[in-house]
Amino acid sequence: MKPQKTDNFSRRNFLKTSLLASGGLLIGFNLLAACKPGALMPVDIENLNFNDFNAFIKISDDGFVTTFSPNPEIGQGVKTSMPMIIAEELEADWSKVNVVQGALDSKNFTRQVAGGSQSIRSSWDAFRQTGATAKQMLINAAAIKWNVDASTCVASKGIITNANGDKLGYGEVVKEAALLEVPENVKLKEIKDFTIIGQEIVNVDIDKIITGKPLFGLDYKVAGMLHASVLRPPAFGQKLESFDDTKAKAVNGVSEVIKFGDKIAVLATSTWAAMKGKKALSATWIKDSDFESTEKHNEVLTKILDGTKFETRREDGNISQAFAAADKVIERTYHSPFLPHNCLEPMNFYADVTAEKVHLVGPIQTPQWTVSRVAKLLERKEEDIFCEMTRMGGGFGRRLYGDFALEAAEISSLAKKPIKVIFSREDDMTAGTYRPSIKYRIKASIKDGKVTGYYLKEAAINGNMYGAIPNFFPAGCIPNFKVDTANHTSNITTGAWRAPYTNFLAFAEQTFFDELASELNIDTIQLRLDLLQNVKNTTDEKIEYSGQRMEDTIKLVREKANWGKTEEGVFQGFSAYYSHNTHVAEIADIVLQDGFPVIKKVTVAVDCGVVVNPSGARNQVEGGVIDGIGHAMFADFSFNEGKPDAQNFDTYRLIRMLETPKVEVHFIENNLSPTGLGEPGLPPAGGAVANAINAALGKRIYSQPFAKELEKSGILG
């Protein structure tokens, strides 16, 4: 595994604004991956608005601290955990910390993105330095007031104390601190001395969430705003030929009907009127390209796997020789369906396009990319576009793409009015960007009781993001190793879905290794541990996971789940996976009730480095596990003649409250920098459950959803 990068900080990177009109200090750090060099601070706190926000600290005369959170909040908790990092090194009193969501600031930031579970990881060092430098400036200002050496002063909970016991609050020295030079080489706290990081901190938005205060895109309202509901082609491969809007315009509240491209927008004074007007539209659609179907996809993916046109992602040793010399060769094929995202909050976005500016507001994971695309669409300069981010009611990758924001901008430009596009649930499910349907074929060779060769082939609709991950486990563990990928191009829109490219691959590989262990007559956990010995001291810089960290994680879950020692009637399944820089191992316990497998508990071990906020971290892991189980067990989505077969939750199965198991989470304790957490809990979940089902029923599962496979075999229904 590559060593972690050490960042160098200096006074040149640090930014501050002094002698502000309101008094107080606005101070921040040039946030490396998150900020651009030479970023300028806003010069007047009194005139701050969303366009000026930056990930900086504002300290007021009364000692209150405001931090501006730059990254989109998608439910992953960064609006709480990122300010915790600054507050820790600042030695702030958390009860006096206020967190404000920043808007897109393309002049200063380069990674205002919610995706890839990278927000905390990319900001850890810089945010710590931000807080520590601000603290030192405040201490230096107090020392000057007292005429003592700054080294004799300490800060705690917003109070500076000298050796004589004299005390000054941050607010009492903030003006003087704003005049001082920025210190270099400030000392960061020892992790053992943390008082905020590692504590159970309540979500900073929790009161507003539970009392229904406006936070989300659907809450955003502006006087005079119109609501837009959009009629889109009912099938992938169709385009608009003609339409009649007579009945739509007759709906009370409908003010305008606008055609844009192959879509029709109904504008109204309320969401209900807009959606009712859309239903009243009469449209004729014609075929524009081939209709895609699930049956065709199954056939074409199998044909690809049987063919020879692949892109090789990694190749170690000689896989052909390994298979030729093997005592036994095992080959299995795994299949996953398309999946929609089904965010609780449907897609929505506000746009007000005028000659002077473009104002965008809404839930978006990629604000900068979205602004760039809107600028191109409207032929405007990016600096004329101001984008505010709201809290998101789920994203899971769907809100990376911003098609709904582009619709809002285009409609507003045509209508010359502020509008808000709102998807219905049917819109959300049928006009989505889906997880691609994928087939994996895995082949392994066994020689003298050892796994000597491993060949993974991936065939995916439109490709699976970066393809099968070639440098994750078991890369480096098996001497002869090869990963090939290929795809079928489809007009069905596909893209990232929670834990992209690993959400299904982990199931395929981890159930395959479980089967290999049975073939070798070895404990399935021991097989993984034995293989990991081959990579623990690797010099291969391409290997992305750590053999030692994965081994420690596996051993922890084995201990906590009481592996192999459960009471009679409890069947266990194991799975472990590395993704988004984090190592996770899971053991699922199931029981049989009237012959049906029921998941009772999932024990999870996680190595994500330092855990910033334990309660938020547990929530992320628990949510990922339940999400992974629910979709692996039940979720099925197909297309017929280009049309999705499911349009709402009456025909699309999600996990239900009574079906959710207890999830017990254990974190590896170490002092390593934090890694991703929003996604890594999901990939191993399906494999753990499938392996537990096999332990209980002797039934191997090769396709998702599991319930469908069990029904085919006569086990369910």
Side-chain angles (χ1 to χ4, degrees), residues 219-298:
D219 298 324
Y220 189 80
K221 296 177 183 178
V222 173
M225 174 186 81
L226 292 176
H227 301 260
S229 186
V230 179
L231 182 66
R232 304 170 182 85
F236 291 92
Q238 285 185 326
K239 67 178 182 179
L240 181 67
E241 182 179 47
S242 63
F243 72 98
D244 183 349
D245 60 8
T246 305
K247 292 182 179 179
K249 287 181 174 179
V251 173
N252 185 32
V254 171
S255 61
E256 194 172 353
V257 176
I258 296 176
K259 176 185 178 297
F260 63 111
D262 288 312
K263 305 172 186 178
I264 308 163
V266 177
L267 277 57
T269 55
S270 69
T271 303
W272 173 249
M275 290 183 175
K276 190 175 180 181
K278 183 180 72 172
K279 289 182 179 180
L281 284 170
S282 175
T284 302
W285 309 91
I286 59 173
K287 188 174 181 180
D288 182 47
S289 58
D290 290 340
F291 290 137
E292 299 279 329
S293 68
T294 295
E295 183 178 356
K296 173 187 175 181
H297 293 150
N298 289 339

Side-chain angles (χ1 to χ4, degrees), residues 544-559:
E544 296 188 37
Y545 67 101
S546 163
Q548 184 62 60
R549 294 178 76 172
M550 180 60 83
E551 178 182 323
D552 293 343
T553 306
I554 290 173
K555 287 181 176 178
L556 179 61
V557 82
R558 180 174 64 179
E559 172 196 344

Side-chain angles (χ1 to χ4, degrees), residues 298 305 330-337 435 438-442 504-505 507-516 518-519 632 686-687 690-691 693-694 698-710 712-713:
N298 289 339
L305 289 178
I330 298 175
E331 181 178 284
R332 299 290 183 266
T333 301
Y334 302 85
H335 176 245
S336 70
R435 183 184 84 169
I438 302 171
K439 283 194 176 184
Y440 289 111
R441 183 167 291 165
I442 307 177
F504 179 69
L505 175 59
F507 154 74
E509 290 194 312
Q510 289 300 300
T511 54
F512 185 80
F513 274 100
D514 199 71
E515 198 163 352
L516 273 180
S518 296
E519 189 67 37
N691 291 333
I693 289 173
N694 178 70
K699 166 67 178 175
R700 291 286 178 189
I701 298 175
Y702 300 103
S703 297
Q704 292 182 0
F706 301 164
K708 187 176 182 179
E709 293 301 297
L710 294 173
K712 285 180 181 178
S713 64

Side-chain angles (χ1 to χ4, degrees), residues 558-637:
R558 180 174 64 179
E559 172 196 344
K560 297 298 183 181
N562 202 25
W563 173 256
K565 301 174 184 177
T566 58
E567 61 188 66
E568 186 177 353
V570 176
F571 303 91
Q572 294 185 308
F574 168 80
S575 178
Y577 210 72
Y578 166 90
S579 66
H580 299 88
N581 310 104
T582 293
H583 302 77
V584 181
E586 300 178 10
I587 292 176
D589 292 0
I590 72 168
V591 297
L592 297 179
Q593 294 181 359
D594 298 326
F596 295 177
V598 176
I599 308 161
K600 302 298 289 185
K601 179 182 177 182
V602 178
T603 307
V604 189
V606 182
D607 183 349
C608 60
V610 172
V611 179
V612 176
N613 185 357
S615 60
R618 280 197 307 274
N619 289 341
Q620 287 300 297
V621 176
E622 290 166 353
V625 169
I626 292 171
D627 198 9
I629 290 173
H631 282 90
M633 283 291 297
F634 305 114
D636 196 12
F637 199 77

Side-chain angles (χ1 to χ4, degrees), residues 307-321:
T308 58
K309 294 183 178 180
F310 286 90
E311 179 180 352
T312 296
R313 302 281 182 166
R314 182 179 175 118
E315 186 170 12
D316 302 337
N318 190 316
I319 199 72
S320 298
Q321 287 184 5

